[in-house]
Amino acid sequence: MFCDEPILKVYLGVVEDDDVYSHNAFVDCYHDIAYHCTEGYRIVLETENFAISLSSKGVTKQKKEELQEKEGEWLQNGIEVFGEDEPSWVLFETTLFVGERLRSVASADGIYLAQFDDFVLKIIPHERGDDIQGLYNQDDFSPNRVYGCERHIKRSCPLCGGTGEIYMDFVGDYSVSCRTCKKSTYAVMCLADAIENWNEGLLNCDVSGATVE
C-alpha cells in the first residue's frame, strides 16, 4: 500500500506566471482516467499525515507539515469558500479523489499508473511548452460521460430502478441520468451537487434525445 490513509483534501498546483490561455494540465475522465501535465503542475492529495504529489515526474509522498508552495507555484484549494452565506465551490478533482486511498504506483513506457481504491489514474507527462489539448467533441453540443466518481452514486433510479450515470454538458455543467429511462437531474456547475440531487431523487429532466460522445 503506497498510503493507507484516505485522502481528505485536494490542491491543484499551478504556475502563477503562466499565460492564462495556455493549456499545461488536463484531467481527462471522459475517455480514460488520466492526468496530462507539464513540469510545474501537480495535484496534491492530502491525508491525515501525508501529502502526495502527482506530477510529470511521477508520484511522491512527504509528511503533511512539509508541504509548501514551490517557487512560482500557487496551490489552489480544491474547495473554494466564498462566504458564510454562499455555497462552497467544490472542484471536480475533490469529488474524484477525496475518500480514496492510493494503493500502488507503477510506471510503463513513460506513463505512471496510480492505483486507487476504485480506479486507476494514468499520469501522462508532457514537455514544458506543449499545448495539452482538452476535451474535443465532433458535435460541440454533445454531452460526455464522466468516469471515476461512480462510487458516490448511492441509489438506483427512483422511477425505474436503473443505474445512474454522470455526464458533463458542452458548457461544463454536470448531471446524473438514468441509463434505462433517461430521466436526469438538472445540470449544475459542481459535480458534487449533481450527485447529491440524484441521491435525493430529484430527477426533473428527460435526456432521451441526447447524443453522447
Side-chain angles (χ1 to χ4, degrees):
M1 177 75 76
F2 189 91
C3 183
D4 61 1
E5 298 180 354
I7 296 161
L8 304 176
K9 294 182 180 179
V10 177
Y11 300 90
L12 303 184
V14 300
V15 179
E16 284 193 302
D17 60 354
D18 260 1
D19 180 352
V20 295
Y21 297 105
S22 64
H23 299 278
N24 297 288
F26 173 56
V27 176
D28 184 354
C29 286
Y30 315 103
H31 312 95
D32 203 348
I33 304 178
Y35 178 47
H36 298 261
C37 55
T38 64
E39 184 178 354
Y41 288 76
R42 60 174 171 161
I43 296 174
V44 178
L45 311 174
E46 184 181 289
T47 70
E48 182 179 359
N49 294 294
F50 298 101
I52 302 167
S53 293
L54 316 177
S55 72
S56 62
K57 297 181 179 180
V59 182
T60 58
K61 182 173 71 172
Q62 62 186 140
K63 293 181 179 179
K64 183 172 69 173
E65 59 266 24
E66 297 174 353
L67 176 65
Q68 57 184 351
E69 293 177 340
K70 300 177 181 180
E71 184 177 358
E73 180 188 42
W74 170 46
L75 286 177
Q76 179 186 9
N77 197 318
I79 298 179
E80 298 184 9
V81 180
F82 301 106
E84 294 183 359
D85 298 326
E86 298 182 46
S88 299
W89 181 274
V90 181
L91 298 186
F92 171 80
E93 289 82 1
T94 291
T95 304
L96 177 65
F97 290 112
V98 165
E100 293 288 292
R101 296 174 300 167
L102 181 50
R103 305 185 67 85
S104 64
V105 178
S107 61
D109 300 324
I111 295 175
Y112 302 95
L113 303 174
Q115 173 69 63
F116 292 87
D117 286 329
D118 293 292
F119 58 86
V120 176
L121 175 76
K122 294 180 180 177
I123 303 173
I124 304 176
H126 294 262
E127 293 295 328
R128 183 74 174 150
D130 284 356
D131 186 20
I132 299 175
Q133 297 299 315
L135 186 61
Y136 170 78
N137 286 350
Q138 292 183 337
D139 180 353
D140 292 337
F141 297 99
S142 293
N144 288 87
R145 177 79 186 276
V146 178
Y147 298 93
C149 298
E150 295 85 354
R151 69 189 184 280
H152 295 300
I153 297 177
K154 302 300 185 182
R155 62 179 295 175
S156 301
C157 175
L159 302 177
C160 74
T163 301
E165 296 178 330
I166 301 170
Y167 290 90
M168 186 184 74
D169 65 19
F170 67 98
V171 295
D173 289 344
Y174 297 95
S175 62
V176 183
S177 64
C178 176
R179 180 189 302 171
T180 303
C181 73
K182 305 302 180 182
K183 296 299 183 181
S184 171
T185 65
Y186 284 127
V188 293
M189 291 186 288
C190 289
L191 174 56
D193 293 335
I195 292 173
E196 182 179 356
N197 289 341
W198 170 273
N199 290 336
E200 292 180 356
L202 303 178
L203 308 184
N204 302 297
C205 301
D206 187 324
V207 293
S208 56
T211 301
V212 178
E213 291 197 19

